[in-house]
Each structure stands twice: as structure tokens, then as C-alpha cells.
Amino acid sequence: RAQRCAGRVCHVLVLVLCLSAAEDFDWTKNDRGSFYYGTFPTGFSWGAGSSAYQTEGAWDKDGKGLSIWDVFSHKKGKVFLNDTGDYACEGYYKLKDDISLLKELNLNHYRFSISWPRVIPTGIRSDHVNEKGIKYYDTLIDQLLENKITPIVTLYHWDLPQVLQEKYGGWQNISMVNYFNDFASLCFERFGNRVKHWITFNNPWSVAVEGYETGEHAPGLKLRGTGAYRAAHHIIKAHAKVWHTYDNQWRNKQNGVVGISLSGDWGEPVDITNLKDIEAAERYVQFYLGWFATPVFHGDYPQVMKDFVGRKSAQQGLGTSRLPTFSSQEKSYIKGTCDFLGVGHFTTRYITQKTYPPGRGSTYFADRDLAELVDPRWPDPGSEWLYSVPWGFRRLLNFVKTQYGNPMIYITENGVSEKMKCTELCDDWRIQYYKDYINEMLKAIRDGVNVKGYTAWSLLDKFEWDEGFSERFGLYYVDFKNKNKPRYPKASVQFYKRIINFNGFPNLREVENWKRKATETCSSSNQLLAADPLTSHMEMVTEIVVPTVCTLCILISAVFLMFLLSRRN
Ligand code: NOJ
């Protein structure tokens, strides 16, 4: 039966694919496959991104406190090959080098995050502020500005101070709201004269679901069916509080903007003629991006989340919904706390309706009543979850436009990984990914979506959370085996640079030319990288092999000479 069922799903999938390939969408001017040549609005901001734990290293240096990721990654079996971010890219020590890479790319902005325990070791401001940590970010910000690169700063990219986890249970506890607000206030106070773009949280979906529901990420808790909702509830409140703090105390003086960065895959109905699939796909997006975006724009959770989690909770015999509720004061306090929306987007899924019977263990995933599918023809060069589906990007952006009143958007993450063990700088698949995704963003802008900037994810290869160093998202290759963590440009650097310099895509011939040139230069960079082990090889040749061979030659000649002499005598 399972086989027949799978066969039917495949059949529908193939059918739908055929149908939709031939179709144009109402709100589009170009169909899925076509490429749109044109430029981005003047002043469009191009950037690249990173985050503290993934790149900085120096995990226990200069007075930094422990984060939940320091502790989690040191536990055996939590991260692929038991890797840790102890050293990562040594970004803490390579500030100048990395700024020169940003310059090389001609970027307008750089997105990075501040490590909370680096500036407040216990997480509690009244305990102690670590001036050495403050100094590091001061220097980074100053150097960016000196180089005319705008800093876009994330306050929380997953590295909660461990003390707050141990003492209070981290984001399960409402007290995080005030601690986070104190940390944010410190950052506004010390850096806000120079930083004008603030992101409170990066991808809270991951924090909630992977940190407190499945336990794949730090702090590794498996509080199924409740943990994620609770964490998200406190994160949303913390975000709102920080936005109000900025609004009341700093906005007049500093004139910046405060937003949140949400990640969201697009969900496309498997069968676009089937209402159940259409509703399931809508639910997929509402349970993902909508979970956080709807409160900050409209003041409450998406109706469909309230309905589904509420009904399932009742079926379990619970008196109240597992999805917490906001009071009416809280709703009006939270509503409108977003000057811009950060969007992190990587991939798409096909979605079909699937009912999870009550009583078989309640989870966030079961609450959605849906199944995710992928088209086996979608390219998936790296991370298991990451299929390249450019058209999904345009749809997600249009969804944001219509659902939340066309807010100002910054793309805070978009990119693709590779999983190769060998040193591969000729990343033509990444060039293809960037080309197509950036093009879909351009189409979305033509649709009227208010996208102000784009951040390629990521500047460097780095610590990819529970996948360790096995998945490389960087424009620059990092040699993690080498103590100095040297960086090498991949071909995509050249390609991205050209998009930036042209502010878009001129015409087919030019763009093809860019691709060709980018892949040409990568072979010389490849040689550079290959030269690293080669240099040591050469050293061995000159220092050991040559003298040994010479000595041997002399010895052999001497023996031969003696032999000849003895024969003559
Ligand atoms: C989203 C996370 O914010 C980022 O840290 C990570 O590297 C990317 N996803 C890719 O997995």
C-alpha cells in the first residue's frame, strides 16, 4: 500500500510539474524558466554575511564567557565529527584580512553578529561588561566605516550565554526578555552612534525548533510539542521590547532602524488544483515565516496556527492550547515592531495535505498536518535540505509583500553549500545558484516588492552548526587544516563582484562572459591553494631529497673512482 501511495504522489508530482512548467502565473511577467536582464534600483545595497560563533573562534579569549554553542559543541556526538567553533575561521584575529575581502568584492554592507557572552560574559549586564569584547566590535565597526562598508548588526545569532541557560532554562524562561533588552541597550549605547541597521534575532525558527523541540542545536532540548512554541513566544516578546527601547530611547539621537531576520522556505502546493494542498502549502509558510512575521506586523500568531495547535491540544485533552497566547496589551505592544524585515531564504518544498492522528505524540511538525516533498530533478549540491529552486524565492517575496503590507526588506541570507572534501574553488553550481536566485529577486522587485539590499551567505566557509565544517557556504574557501586559516577566493567571488559592479545583469552575452571569466580565474586560484601543500613538498625536496641524492652521487663516484684506480694498479 505504501508503494502504491508513493507512486500516486509521484504521479501527481510529475503531473503538476508538467502542468506548471507550461503555465505562467497571474502575477508574473516572465515564466519560471526565463531570465530577466535588467538592473536593480539605484542605491541597492550589496553585501555578504557571517555570524560570531560560526567565524570568530577565540572562544575563551580576552574574557569571553561561554555560550550554549561552546558547551553543546564540546559534548560528544552533537556535531558532525565532534567539530567545535573554538577556532573556526579565527575571524577574531583576522579582522583586517576579512575587511580586505569585503573591499575586494566591492560590497556596500557587511552583516555580522555580536557575541553576547563576548561583551557580557554571564549574559547579565549588571554582573560585568567585558571591555575587551566591546573593543573588538568597536574596531570592526570603525574599520568597516573607514572602508565605506555599512555594518548590519545582528544581536542574537544563536549564542546565548551559557549561564542564562543553566540558571533559567534559556528561552524557555520569560526572564530572557529583560536580559536581552539590557544587552541590546548596551549595544545601542556603545555602537549605535555608528551602527544604523540592527537585527534583533536571526532565524528564531531554528532557535525554537532545533534548539528546544528536536534538540539538534544548542541547547539540545527535546521538549516536543511545547518547547518551540514557548521559546518563540519569549523571543517575540524580547524582540518587541528591544524595538520599543530603541524607539523610545535611541531613535531620535541615532536615526537607525531595527528589524528581525526570519528564515523561510517557500511551500508550493503539490497539486495546484487541489484545495487541500493549497491550504497545506499556505500552512507550511504560516508555521514557518508567518509564526514570527504575523505577530510583529499584525500583533498575533497566524489564525491557522491558533486553529490547528488549539484543536490538536484539545484532542489531546489539554485545557489550553500548546501555542501560548498574547494578551490584548501585548498584541498592541508587539504589533508594528519592525522597521524592516530581514529575509533568509535558501530553498523550497512541495507540500501536500497529510493528517497526523492525535495521540501519536504531539510535535510542531505534526501540528501542521502536511508532508514535504522535493522534485528529484532539483539540483542539491551541498546540504541535504538545500535544493536550488530559484522561482520559490520570488514567490516568498511576493507573499511577504501581500501579507505584511509591503514592508522594507533586506535579504539577510541567501546562498548554497558544497559538500566536497577536496579543495574545489571552481564552484560553477554556486555561480548558477546566485545568478538565478538574484534574478528572481530582481523580478520580485519588478513585481513591486520593496527589497533594499541583498546579503550573500556567506563571506567565508565556516562552522555550519551541527554539520561542523562539512558544509561550505563561503564565497571564500577557508583551509581549516591550516593553523592560520588562509582564505582563497572561489570562482563565485568574481561572478558576484560583476553583478555588484553592474548592479544587475546586462545581457546574455555579458553574463555568459562573466561566468566564463570567473571559472577561468578560479583555476589559477586553485593553483594557489594547491601550491600550499606543494610549497611544503618543494621544501622537502630542497632540504632533504636534493642533498641526499647529491651525497649519494658523490659517494658512488668516489667508489667508482677507487675501483678504477685499483684496476690500474
Ligand atoms: C541559517 C543560519 O542563520 C546560518 O547561520 C546558517 O549558516 C545558514 N542557515 C545555512 O544553514
Side-chain angles (χ1 to χ4, degrees), residues 402-422:
T402 46
Q403 293 266 322
Y404 313 117
N406 203 9
M408 175 158 93
I409 295 175
Y410 277 86
I411 306 305
T412 41
E413 286 182 23
N414 176 242
V416 66
S417 55
E418 74 242 25
K419 231 183 185 154
M420 288 181 205
K421 285 245 159 57
C422 61

Side-chain angles (χ1 to χ4, degrees), residues 95-96 99 103 138-151 194:
L95 222 145
K96 276 219 163 73
I99 290 191
K103 287 275 288 176
D138 260 336
T139 318
L140 171 57
I141 293 163
D142 286 344
Q143 292 200 6
L144 287 171
L145 292 173
E146 269 166 36
N147 287 288
K148 301 197 169 44
I149 300 166
T150 304
R194 289 154 293 155

Side-chain angles (χ1 to χ4, degrees), residues 50-51 54 111 157-158 202-203 206 217 261 263 344 346 383 385-386 413 415 417 457-458 462-465 471 473:
S50 73
S51 85
Q54 292 182 280
R111 178 186 177 219
H157 204 124
W158 306 359
N202 172 71
N203 192 351
S206 254
H217 281 187
S261 172
S263 85
F346 293 88
S383 314
W385 53 270
L386 208 174
E413 286 182 23
S417 55
W457 192 261
S458 48
K462 56 191 168 6
F463 180 81
E464 186 50 34
W465 308 112
E471 293 179 10
F473 276 85

